[in-house]
Every structure is written in C-alpha cells, then in structure tokens.
Amino acid sequence: MSEITPFYEKKEVCPLCKKSFTTTKIRSRFVKVVSYDTDFSPIYQDPEINPLIYYVNVCPYCGYSYTDEFSRYFSSAILSEMKEKVSSRWVYQDYGKHRSIQDGINSYKLAYYCAALRNEKYVTMGGLALRAAWLYRLLQSQEEEKRFLEIAVKKYEASFSNGDFSRTKMSEIKILYLIGELKKRLGRYKEAAFYFSKVLEKQKNCTEPNILEMTKNQWQKIRNALK
C-alpha cells in the first residue's frame, strides 16, 4: 500500500475555456494550525503544508484563475472581455504542481485580475488581496504586504457599504472587525477605532465572542497608541 501524502491532484474543468486540468491541493487531515494572527492569518505547524498557497485554480491553457467563491456564469460581454484580456495574452504556464510562496502570490494576482474583469463581489476580491498579503508576510516583504492590505481594506469597506458579504461566510461583526484591524495595521488608528466601536455597539447581540474579545484587545491597543 502506497503512503498517503499531504498533497493530491484535483481535476478541474476551466469555466472559461472548458478544458480539463489538474491542480494540487492539500488534504485537510494534514493541515495543522498552531494559531491565528489578529487579521485571521493562519499560522501553520509545517510551513510547507500551507493550503493558502494552493487556494487559487489556474487554468494552464487560457490563464483563467479562480476560486470556489467565483461565479460560474459568464455573460456574453464578460466572456468576450475575458478572452480578449486574459486568454489571448496568456502563455502556457502550469501552476498545477508544487508551488512556492511566490507562485501562490502570483496565483492570487492572476485571480484578482480575473475577478476585477468579471465584477466579482467586493468581499471575494478583498479575500484574494488579504491572502496575498498573508503570503507576503511569510516572505517578510513588508512593503508588498501593506500594498495588498490596502487593497483588501478598500474592498472590504465597499463590501460592507453595499452588503455583498451577506450570504457568505463573512458575518457583519467579522467584516467590521477586519476593516478595523487592517486599518490599525496600516497605521490609521482613528479610522480603526471607528470600526472597532461599531463592533462593540453590537456586543449585546454578538454570537461570535472570540471576535468581540479580539476587538476589545485591539481597541485597548489603539487607545494606548492615541494617548
């Protein structure tokens, strides 16, 4: 009997060009999270077994890059634009095997570009940018990390404003906290305090006590920083 490894190949059919390809994923039983950073970035026991790196599917034939959160529907106008701005410019690359952290970052950039072209939800685009920032954090690339945190917080603010996070895994309490936390990391303490205060206003009806506790901790840090 062959030994089961953390990695396996998953078959995908590209939603854009309809061609089949395989992409590497990580079996959940091998994923060990030690802790989470204050912006929910998971800290894995084994840095090599990091599912974030393999989160995005990249079609090697046309370049269309997507996650499970993406819509599968293409209007004729979007289909035409995707072919013009993605497929026609794509040079065959296979992201389906082992990926480095930089490969993972590149896959998020590709997915973000595709998401922007097809007008995916703001919350989806925010998640792509935030995960890219987490990977840059692993590389200790602070400038690029901040650049993608900036993109993420703008998309999350837009998501909160128009409510497109509803019916996703992102709750109102979580998105308010996350906006506050990202603004704090970017040094915008007064803006961060505003969003943290919105979380605290909802604490009577809060069903996520861990986020409430995190908010109180970060709120106190901001108060100390603003003194």
Side-chain angles (χ1 to χ4, degrees), residues 78-209:
I78 290 177
L79 186 63
S80 176
E81 186 170 24
M82 296 297 292
K83 289 180 177 179
E84 177 191 347
K85 294 184 177 179
V86 178
S87 303
S88 66
R89 303 176 185 181
W90 178 254
V91 177
Y92 182 93
Q93 296 177 69
D94 189 359
Y95 279 82
K97 306 300 180 184
H98 177 80
R99 293 180 186 176
S100 64
I101 294 175
Q102 187 60 56
D103 290 333
I105 290 170
N106 292 344
S107 75
Y108 281 107
K109 290 179 178 179
L110 290 167
Y112 188 91
Y113 180 66
C114 290
L117 287 177
R118 58 169 302 139
N119 299 314
E120 283 291 340
K121 289 183 175 182
Y122 292 120
V123 70
T124 300
M125 297 179 70
L128 293 171
L130 181 59
R131 289 177 175 89
W134 291 344
L135 293 186
Y136 271 121
R137 190 175 301 165
L138 294 178
L139 295 180
Q140 298 182 328
S141 180
Q142 294 182 351
E143 187 174 333
E144 286 300 298
E145 178 191 342
K146 285 188 175 182
R147 185 164 77 90
F148 277 87
L149 289 178
E150 183 73 59
I151 295 170
V153 77
K154 286 180 179 177
K155 294 303 177 184
Y156 282 133
E157 281 188 291
S159 177
F160 177 71
S161 294
N162 74 13
D164 79 359
F165 65 90
S166 62
R167 288 178 295 201
T168 71
K169 294 179 181 179
M170 182 72 75
S171 66
E172 183 179 23
I173 290 291
K174 188 173 183 178
I175 198 168
L176 285 170
Y177 167 81
L178 195 49
I179 293 169
E181 172 60 18
L182 298 185
K183 285 184 177 290
K184 181 182 73 68
R185 285 176 174 266
L186 292 167
R188 299 177 193 165
Y189 297 123
K190 289 184 178 179
E191 293 176 42
F194 172 78
Y195 280 97
F196 286 145
S197 67
K198 281 185 169 291
V199 176
L200 297 176
E201 286 170 9
K202 299 176 182 296
Q203 62 183 306
K204 285 186 179 180
N205 300 316
C206 181
T207 58
E208 298 170 275

